[in-house]
Amino acid sequence: LPGDRDQPISVSADKASFNEKTGTALYSGNIVIQQGTIRIAADELVVTTDAKGTVITAVARGNPATFEQKTRPEYGPAVAEAQEVIYQAVEGFLTFNGKAKLKQEGASFQGASISYSLERGEIEAKGDKQNRVQLVFPPPPRESRISKKLGDSAP
Amino acid sequence: MDIRNVVSLSAGFLLLGAVGYYWGGFGKSPLSVAHVSATGLPDYEVTGIEGVRTNQSGQVVELFSAQSIRHYPESDRSEIRRPVMRFFEDGNERWELRAAQAVGLNDNRNISLNGKVQAETLGEGQSVSLETDMLEVDRDEQVLRTDSAVAIRSGNNILDSLGLHVDIRGRILELPAQVRGIYVLPSH
């Protein structure tokens, strides 16, 4: 949801280590990250912050790491999974790397890497030699389809 | 055997037993008054103490102050009130630790801080502060350790953990269990 990005990020994990010089925190074991309706589950998480402690990036890894976010109330949650989920907090961008899959509002995307803008809900999928991009869009609902015969002119 | 011999022989044994009892130490009770007065009391007490520790090259590695220190020689144990410890590395301030009281062991090389224990980083790098009930300090290794719950704050972020291990020189904080983190983001 639009307000997600302004919520605090909460992290729970089995253990962590924090580098007091660089401000980097490495979490490991049963990690759950939540921010508003966003929920990411992973095995390992690295959070980097600037000198003032503001989050710059959060990189979650898992087999796979999973992502879920409520988009618009009338749709089900957007769900995704990948070996690596990179969250750029300032830009509000999520990048799913490694066997990336994303389902949102009935459409599904699959590729080597998928980028997802939390602000605009835009999705960009990239393939590579092994994983070509696959997109699947659901047909429009029956009632909004126009029943036409071949040769009929447009309404 | 004449009855007089028997009587004098038993009186002799009785006398011998009494002497052995008092000089031989058979009956020494663990809490004899003389012994307690020697072990129960401190051998020194210092108030308003301030100390500096330096390394072999004369560089300051620690500043130490306390409201009072009372030392008990038998257990080599010091009771310290309101200790403040400041650790340095290469001449730079690194951490400051404070507590309501502490116990010093092993010639005060190991300090166990307890009661409103607070610690914070000093100098460059992320500002980190922490609060806990009890914190063990190894002054030689400059390592901090606790099994208690710890609340750590860095900027606007909060980390909670059960237990903590801090390597001051390595600048790493290890949070061993039940870790919770809250990161507050700037509004967009």
Side-chain angles (χ1 to χ4, degrees), chain A residues 56-113:
Chain A
I56 299 170
T57 61
V59 180
R61 293 188 183 89
N63 281 303
T66 61
F67 162 86
E68 185 176 314
Q69 180 193 27
K70 279 205 179 63
T71 48
R72 279 178 284 179
E74 62 274 22
Y75 288 108
V79 292
E81 64 176 54
Q83 291 170 336
E84 178 181 77
V85 182
I86 302 174
Y87 177 34
Q88 291 159 283
V90 178
E91 299 84 352
F93 242 88
L94 273 166
T95 305
F96 302 93
N97 292 322
K99 298 176 185 165
K101 296 175 189 165
L102 170 66
K103 283 187 183 146
Q104 186 201 36
E105 300 171 5
S108 75
F109 305 79
Q110 202 164 318
S113 170

Side-chain angles (χ1 to χ4, degrees), chain B residues 43-98:
Chain B
D43 54 356
Y44 66 76
E45 176 164 351
V46 182
T47 57
I49 187 167
E50 292 200 358
V52 182
R53 267 181 110 205
T54 55
N55 56 22
Q56 293 87 351
S57 46
Q59 206 170 32
V60 174
V61 293
E62 183 191 334
L63 295 182
F64 178 89
S65 66
Q67 191 179 77
S68 68
I69 287 186
R70 185 180 289 166
H71 181 254
Y72 295 84
E74 273 71 23
S75 51
D76 181 19
R77 185 170 170 280
S78 301
E79 286 175 2
I80 306 163
R81 293 189 47 74
R82 301 212 171 292
V84 178
M85 307 169 76
R86 183 171 285 206
F87 287 107
F88 291 72
E89 189 192 9
D90 303 333
N92 302 307
E93 296 172 322
R94 274 283 172 266
W95 280 81
E96 179 170 295
L97 319 175
R98 273 167 266 111

Side-chain angles (χ1 to χ4, degrees), chain A residues 20-33:
Chain A
E20 166 238 316
K21 188 167 191 174
T22 62
T24 301
L26 168 62
Y27 295 83
S28 54
N30 298 306
I31 293 164
V32 175
I33 308 142

